[in-house]
Amino acid sequence: MRVYKFGGASVKDAAGVRNVEKIVRLALNDQTPTDLMVVISAMGKTTNALERVVEFLDAGKEEAALNQWVDVIDFHVAIMKELKLQPGVDIRLQGEIPYDPALSFDENYDQVVSMGEILSTQIVAVYLLKQGLPVEWWNMPKLLRTDNTWREAKVDDSISAETIRAGWNRPRRPQVVVTQGFIGGTEDGKRTTLGREGSDYTAALLGNYLDADSVTIWKDVPGILNADPRIEPDTVLIPSLRYQDAVELAYSGAQVIHPKSIRPLQNKGIPLYVRPFGDPSAEGSRIAEDGVGPIDVPVYIWRKNQILITMRAKDFSFVLEESLSEIFDVIHRHRLKVSLIQSSAVTISVCVDNTRFVPAAIEELQKHFNVSYNDGLSLLTIRGTTPDVLERAKAGRTIMLSQTTRRTARLVVKG
Ligand code: ASP
Ligand code: MG
């Protein structure tokens, strides 16, 4: 069996859904026909729109929330109509926002935001079925078991694998299953989310549970490129790479694959393909144990929206190194995502994603250290760098901090 994952950009309109049909048919009519697990994200920018619904409700702005919600529903209804599906008949529409003021923001977030994936998968599944394909829709909140760490739920692999394998191995299961990425559910039936952009991770988990022959992420790029084509003029496609290189790319901030999606595949030696949604005959990139490595062109990876936090010991009776575990405990508890660390005897600097968790973490760190910080930064990682490449990258940029090894340069830059 294969797992195919389609992101929000691939299903942002009716044409996208028709293209999913085309790609699914290609797989079913392949020389070696295959069963397919199709994992789908929310359509277009739906996740962002649903986040705004929760934020409005949280701020007591009910009318704004309702308008935003109606926009989301209308957007889906328009796509259904274009696909000749009947809203309310072929696909049930949720009239009320699944929001309960008695619950925490994060719990409500998961109940509301998960609706994007529920809607997108219902549309795709019903559409494929109406085109005569053998399809079944699966509801991940009942199958992928997580804890209740809202917005970043942890998956229980053993329960999930068992449930999902049982469903998959059922006699007379249709050849194609369509289901949601990014969402799961708790033991008591609440929907959870796995962290933004988590659909790749779901695809990787399902590949792992079902011993897939491969997992393919269909994207609006030709495959894995050495740089973002919107930033660097001369990008090249990397056709083959090893898991270890892919992990490093993902952790340095390459947008193309979610960092958590490699390990479940590497554990079982399942190859991961990244292929262009618009050109299914193109090969794209293949990531596997036997991939080609190390990558032999300089790779530029930008990680935006960074903040550099520097801690200095308050009194010099102790060295900062002795407080490392304390610092990382704070960082861990506040869910900060560290992208770079630099230390001296009396200071330690960490570059982290500037998320909503940062202010509380800084406040706590200030109790123990003199803390200063710079925001509005980006981290540029260049792998496979040479002195020339590094010079060119530095030119015209304000560098706050740099770390270089023989092959890799990491620059924290302004802007
Ligand atoms: N729809 C979710 C998001 O936009 C999950 C995903 O696309 O992977 O974050
Ligand atoms: Mg998405």
Side-chain angles (χ1 to χ4, degrees):
M1 64 86 59
R2 289 184 214 161
V3 178
Y4 277 7
K5 182 254 165 171
F6 298 95
S10 304
V11 289
K12 67 179 193 307
D13 51 22
V17 178
R18 290 195 199 96
N19 199 42
V20 171
E21 179 199 352
K22 174 174 149 190
I23 290 175
V24 167
R25 281 191 193 279
L26 282 172
L28 299 186
N29 300 332
D30 205 85
Q31 284 173 338
T32 45
T34 176
D35 286 6
L36 273 190
M37 173 67 86
V38 178
V39 177
I40 299 185
S41 300
M43 294 176 150
K45 301 267 177 250
T46 300
T47 305
N48 294 347
L50 291 172
E51 282 187 339
R52 284 197 295 276
V53 171
V54 195
E55 283 158 11
F56 282 138
L57 285 170
D58 187 59
K61 298 180 181 160
E62 295 191 4
E63 200 182 314
L66 199 60
N67 286 336
Q68 181 74 61
W69 175 258
V70 170
D71 282 352
V72 169
I73 301 291
D74 285 351
F75 167 69
H76 288 88
V77 163
I79 293 176
M80 290 177 213
K81 288 188 175 156
E82 243 193 283
L83 295 169
K84 309 255 177 310
L85 305 178
Q86 274 182 280
V89 179
D90 292 321
I91 289 139
R92 202 160 42 89
L93 292 177
Q94 171 111 11
E96 268 175 35
I97 309 175
Y99 182 92
D100 176 353
L103 304 177
S104 71
F105 179 92
D106 288 353
E107 183 169 353
N108 274 315
Y109 177 103
D110 280 4
Q111 309 321 305
V112 175
V113 167
S114 54
M115 291 310 295
E117 268 70 12
I118 300 284
L119 269 170
S120 68
T121 51
Q122 287 180 337
I123 292 174
V124 172
V126 174
Y127 175 75
L128 295 179
L129 202 61
K130 292 219 161 187
Q131 309 314 306
L133 290 167
V135 174
E136 187 165 87
W137 178 82
W138 280 15
N139 187 28
M140 272 302 136
K142 293 270 183 300
L143 303 168
L144 191 76
R145 171 69 62 80
T146 72
D147 68 4
N148 64 357
T149 314
W150 312 111
R151 303 186 66 174
E152 228 163 302
K154 302 280 165 300
V155 175
D156 183 326
D157 280 314
S158 70
I159 296 181
S160 306
E162 197 185 331
T163 316
I164 286 164
R165 278 184 200 131
W168 187 257
N169 294 326
R170 241 172 51 242
R172 289 187 300 281
R173 165 191 46 78
Q175 215 179 336
V176 181
V177 169
V178 172
T179 197
Q180 311 83 41
F182 172 59
I183 71 176
T186 61
E187 191 175 3
D188 55 354
K190 297 267 188 150
R191 291 189 295 275
T192 54
T193 65
L194 311 180
R196 286 301 308 265
E197 310 303 330
S199 296
D200 293 358
Y201 176 47
T202 304
L205 288 178
L206 296 175
N208 174 297
Y209 300 162
L210 299 174
D211 292 302
D213 295 305
S214 64
V215 172
T216 304
I217 299 178
W218 295 93
K219 286 203 70 113
D220 55 355
V221 290
I224 297 187
L225 303 173
N226 72 322
D228 184 336
R230 289 166 303 184
I231 302 175
E232 306 291 334
D234 303 313
T235 54
V236 292
L237 176 76
I238 306 169
S240 167
L241 55 167
R242 303 174 299 184
Y243 292 121
Q244 64 193 85
D245 297 319
V247 170
E248 271 193 55
L249 288 192
Y251 273 102
S252 351
Q255 292 291 318
V256 64
I257 26 175
H258 192 281
K260 285 206 286 195
S261 54
I262 301 294
R263 197 179 336 149
L265 301 177
Q266 182 169 23
N267 284 347
K268 291 236 172 141
I270 299 168
L272 174 66
Y273 293 90
V274 178
R275 297 181 59 187
F277 180 68
D279 183 8
S281 63
E283 305 265 332
S285 300
R286 176 179 182 272
I287 302 162
E289 199 64 60
D290 61 359
V292 177
I295 299 168
D296 62 0
V297 289
V299 179
Y300 299 78
I301 306 137
W302 283 93
R303 193 152 159 161
K304 295 274 165 66
N305 194 26
Q306 300 292 299
I307 178 167
L308 185 66
I309 307 174
T310 301
M311 285 140 281
R312 190 176 290 277
K314 273 193 174 163
D315 74 56
F316 291 97
S317 58
F318 66 94
V319 284
L320 201 64
E321 276 158 15
E322 286 163 9
S323 341
L324 282 180
S325 70
E326 200 179 327
I327 291 173
F328 283 98
D329 178 57
V330 175
I331 285 174
H332 179 73
R333 274 189 286 107
H334 288 276
R335 304 194 200 175
L336 302 195
K337 298 230 165 35
V338 177
S339 47
L340 178 145
I341 302 165
Q342 186 146 302
S343 70
S344 72
V346 291
T347 70
I348 174 161
S349 299
V350 291
C351 190
V352 300
D353 292 351
N354 197 359
T355 61
R356 68 203 162 90
F357 301 119
V358 166
I362 290 184
E363 200 172 305
E364 192 172 339
L365 290 167
Q366 275 166 339
K367 290 186 192 138
H368 312 283
F369 311 102
N370 290 322
V371 180
S372 56
Y373 54 86
N374 272 289
D375 57 8
L377 306 178
S378 298
L379 174 67
L380 170 60
T381 303
I382 311 173
R383 303 201 47 205
T385 189
T386 62
D388 275 9
V389 165
L390 189 56
E391 273 321 300
R392 249 178 290 136
K394 281 183 166 170
R397 290 196 166 113
T398 310
I399 316 287
M400 307 293 293
L401 192 157
S402 80
Q403 273 181 4
T404 53
T405 60
R406 204 169 55 82
R407 299 267 310 158
T408 304
R410 315 186 71 206
L411 308 174
V412 178
V413 305
K414 261 218 171 93

